[in-house]
Amino acid sequence: MITVRNLTRVFRTYKKQPGFWGGIKGLFKRQFEETAAARDISFDIAEGEFVGFLGPNGAGKTTTLKMLSGLIYPSSGTARVAGFDPTKRENAYRRLFALVLGQKNQLWWDLPAQESFQLLRHIYGIPAKQFRETLDELVDLLGVRGKLDVMVRELSLGERMKMELIAALLHRPRVLFLDEPTIGLDVVSQKAVRAFLRDYNRRHKVTILLTSHYMADIKELCERVIVIHKGSKIYDGPLKGLESSSGSRKKIITFVPEAGACFPEAWQSRHGETTRDPASGKFTVRIPGENVVAVSQEILTTGPVADITIEDVPLEDVITELFNAH
């Protein structure tokens, strides 16, 4: 469904010198700086895949989505989405995909959402019967039927994002680009949006490329992730492969109620990095996965333990280490 080969986008920005005279000098001689927002990115996404697109701020995620949407032109490289070249901006292609930007709105703030939906119906030439069927399905899945007559500006952030998703899906796109759709939402709204996207992807086999800084979005929705850093791709594969890329490390947390009895403040495990929270007396040991049993026995035989927890290294930590390695 999506084929990207050596996609590159270089931005040329003007560097103004400070002060009034710096502005005057800039009228005659300007200094420019070139920044590669995306550099030789290549990947393939099959129809119906739900892929996470990860990277820190400024890595080039949104730039890549905009190139795939035809909003900006690549400096070099090629992209094909369902056989179309996004740079040509053909009407047939624009009816095939949808782009949702979590920090930008496409609905009219001073009108109820259903008025914007009617406008989109005419823009995309959606038959009345299909429009009603699709709208009924989406408002029921997202639970916002009672909010269709409310001015968009009066909706909560979570309700507005649900309306944005409805607006993006009215024309039944085959490809959906999502740029941080849950940004700023509360936990309940995030959970509702994730449940909707997961269900919609399974029902309609829509190809979805999702960027998000919330790792809960990625873990619940995506089996495959693409990670970019400083404009370049550094990982493309299963999410489980990314989680195990740090050597399948585990985190052991143990709380010792009698501080200093058997576990002095300087106590260190022989198998991994140990830290202690002086306020609670809780020790945290980061170890390779194969040492979990040995360290657990070591802790339990050293002294009385009120509670012990074994968990995976958080995905955020794994990705941070991946960024630092590049």
Side-chain angles (χ1 to χ4, degrees), residues 65 69 93-101 106 124 164-165 167-179 206-207 209:
L65 293 188
S69 303
Y93 175 60
R94 288 188 281 185
R95 288 189 174 93
L96 180 126
F97 79 94
L99 171 65
V100 177
L101 300 173
Q106 62 175 318
Y124 286 103
E164 292 287 342
L165 287 171
L169 297 172
L170 279 174
H171 62 290
R172 299 181 181 177
R174 295 171 57 197
V175 178
L176 182 59
F177 300 123
L178 299 174
D179 188 25
V206 177
T207 304
L209 187 57

Side-chain angles (χ1 to χ4, degrees), residues 30-49:
R30 293 197 166 198
Q31 294 181 346
F32 292 92
E33 182 179 59
E34 290 190 347
T35 303
R39 184 185 297 107
D40 290 325
I41 295 177
S42 299
F43 57 81
D44 295 295
I45 299 177
E47 184 174 7
E49 269 197 283

Side-chain angles (χ1 to χ4, degrees), residues 134-148:
T134 304
L135 183 61
D136 286 343
E137 177 191 13
L138 294 174
V139 296
D140 288 339
L141 283 172
L142 287 167
V144 291
R145 183 173 292 278
K147 300 294 183 178
L148 291 175

Side-chain angles (χ1 to χ4, degrees), residues 131-170:
F131 171 78
R132 178 49 55 189
E133 290 175 352
T134 304
L135 183 61
D136 286 343
E137 177 191 13
L138 294 174
V139 296
D140 288 339
L141 283 172
L142 287 167
V144 291
R145 183 173 292 278
K147 300 294 183 178
L148 291 175
D149 296 326
V150 180
M151 299 292 180
V152 171
R153 66 167 58 253
E154 296 176 2
L155 297 173
S156 69
L157 182 59
E159 291 166 346
R160 286 204 303 271
M161 179 49 62
K162 291 177 182 179
M163 295 299 185
E164 292 287 342
L165 287 171
I166 292 173
L169 297 172
L170 279 174

Side-chain angles (χ1 to χ4, degrees), residues 12-32:
R12 190 166 181 254
T13 55
Y14 164 54
K15 296 181 63 176
K16 178 185 175 300
Q17 297 183 28
F20 173 76
W21 289 111
I24 296 297
K25 292 178 181 178
L27 295 174
F28 302 96
K29 185 178 180 180
R30 293 197 166 198
Q31 294 181 346
F32 292 92

Side-chain angles (χ1 to χ4, degrees), residues 8 48 59 81 116 170 222 273 279 293 310:
T8 299
V81 181
S116 294
L170 279 174
C222 307
E273 175 189 352
V293 174
I310 303 173

Side-chain angles (χ1 to χ4, degrees), residues 242-253:
L242 179 63
E243 291 177 314
S244 63
S245 64
S246 61
S248 300
R249 293 191 306 172
K250 298 285 183 178
K251 180 185 289 185
I252 294 184
I253 301 175

